[in-house]
Amino acid sequence: MSKYLEAVEKRRSIYAIGKNSPIIDDEIINIIKHALLHSPTAYNSQANRAVLLIGEDHNDLWDIVMETLRKIVPEKSFSKTEEKINSFKNGHGTVLIFEDVSETKALIDQFPLYKDTFPLWALQASGMLQYIIWTALEDKGLGASLQHYNPLIDDAVKVRWNLPHEWKLHAQMPFGEVLKSAGDKEFEPIEKTFRVFR
Amino acid sequence: MSKYLEAVEKRRSIYAIGKNSPIIDDEIINIIKHALLHSPTAYNSQANRAVLLIGEDHNDLWDIVMETLRKIVPEKSFSKTEEKINSFKNGHGTVLIFEDVSETKALIDQFPLYKDTFPLWALQASGMLQYIIWTALEDKGLGASLQHYNPLIDDAVKVRWNLPHEWKLHAQMPFGEVLKSAGDKEFEPIEKTFRVFR
């Protein structure tokens, strides 16, 4: 199997993460830059945006998530939510993935025929960026998972880090030292998901 | 740079493709199977579906695209469209990427709180699958690009290959021998797309 497909297979959702990192922060930064530059976008719109939070900034994000959810989750079931959020806060950092919707809107203005599909392509392109970062981090020995506390936390996040209004949050990726590997994964039979005609 | 990031950088949109392939069809099939099994989906829904068309089946797809567009593109500008479609038909095969919307609907029935977001996550997951296949093919020396003649061709494709009604077409990926490499790519300045707080 190619090294590429090995990395594809190695990527899993890792929930038990710690403060340490097997690589230095500058290498994490370079991974995200590389992913932003080389992930494909429709019409090369490059509408993807990313924010890396480390240290106190990472902690602040998960405090925002905690306080936001505390207001809406019933008190009696909050301990489970709290435990989950703390497991992400336990990590080394978080990557926030955004779409600059002003770029998508500019494409729609230029090619109105595709007004309904540009937003769908932007989501697919966002998935590609998320995937590249996730797999590249795990390839380097880090554990990561993809979380979605958007849109609940969007306003507080934009205020805290003074981010442009047009950046729409699509995903949060907490990562850190792998404290516990992923368990077995259940697979759909390939006959159900794939067909070949030749 | 890691082998993984090298493959990320190597992936480009390759439009000039030929009938030959540097790898045998069984290896192409294994790449798509691997991608379907190991690409992540929300709640492990595995709603992604793929169809591989090779030989006459590949030709039939691009004939469907040609006849569909001939009905709607003005005759005087059709020669450019025809040339583009023929460049894809020139390739070795095409991967069709679908979402089984019945799987997404089943998630919504189970977790109605996320009814608005499951379809968005399914699109991001589809992008991840598309990306894995694209990059894995190019890593093996093939050239590929991502095309979107959906939803125009959806009905004809489902009839021709007798595919389930619930499979929603998201993308078409023609691939083949690289006849001409990609040109230079323009990059947004990284300062515009990425911020670090630590």
Side-chain angles (χ1 to χ4, degrees), chain B residues 109-140:
Chain B
D109 291 344
Q110 209 182 337
F111 307 100
L113 185 63
Y114 302 120
K115 67 178 165 46
D116 295 331
T117 42
F118 277 125
L120 310 183
W121 293 339
L123 285 169
Q124 292 168 59
S126 179
M128 295 183 192
L129 174 68
Q130 295 162 33
Y131 181 81
I132 297 171
I133 296 172
W134 191 353
T135 309
L137 291 176
E138 298 210 351
D139 186 53
K140 285 290 179 183

Side-chain angles (χ1 to χ4, degrees), chain A residues 21-160:
Chain A
S21 168
I23 57 175
I24 60 170
D25 289 348
D26 281 350
E27 194 169 352
I28 296 168
I29 288 171
N30 283 337
I31 284 172
I32 300 170
K33 283 182 180 174
H34 194 90
L36 276 164
L37 289 175
H38 299 291
S39 62
T41 51
Y43 290 71
N44 198 24
S45 67
Q46 301 177 63
N48 286 321
R49 303 289 180 264
V51 169
L52 172 63
L53 304 175
I54 286 182
E56 280 310 308
D57 291 278
H58 162 84
N59 292 339
D60 284 0
L61 173 76
W62 295 104
D63 289 345
I64 286 171
V65 174
M66 190 78 84
E67 294 322 308
T68 304
L69 289 194
R70 200 187 298 278
K71 285 175 202 149
I72 56 172
V73 173
E75 202 180 327
K76 63 175 167 43
S77 56
F78 193 69
S79 67
K80 212 180 146 189
T81 302
E82 195 169 19
E83 194 183 337
K84 198 173 165 190
I85 295 169
N86 277 329
S87 75
F88 302 135
K89 189 176 172 181
N90 249 353
H92 180 75
T94 303
V95 190
L96 304 177
I97 308 282
F98 299 85
E99 171 192 343
D100 187 336
V101 292
S102 71
E103 302 277 3
T104 307
K105 198 180 166 300
L107 275 180
I108 292 172
D109 291 344
Q110 208 183 337
F111 307 100
L113 185 63
Y114 301 120
K115 68 177 164 50
D116 296 330
T117 42
F118 277 126
L120 310 183
W121 294 339
L123 284 170
Q124 292 168 61
S126 179
M128 295 182 192
L129 173 68
Q130 295 163 31
Y131 181 81
I132 298 170
I133 296 172
W134 191 353
T135 308
L137 291 177
E138 298 210 350
D139 187 52
K140 285 291 179 183
L142 283 155
S145 70
L146 212 48
Q147 303 303 320
H148 300 91
Y149 292 100
N150 51 293
L152 293 173
I153 61 169
D154 294 20
D155 293 343
V157 165
K158 278 181 206 175
V159 168
R160 171 62 185 81

Side-chain angles (χ1 to χ4, degrees), chain A residues 190-196, chain B residues 29 32-33 36 50-52:
Chain A
I190 198 77
E191 299 73 30
K192 185 180 165 184
T193 61
F194 182 42
R195 299 189 188 182
V196 181
Chain B
I29 288 171
I32 300 170
K33 283 183 181 176
L36 275 165
V51 169
L52 172 64

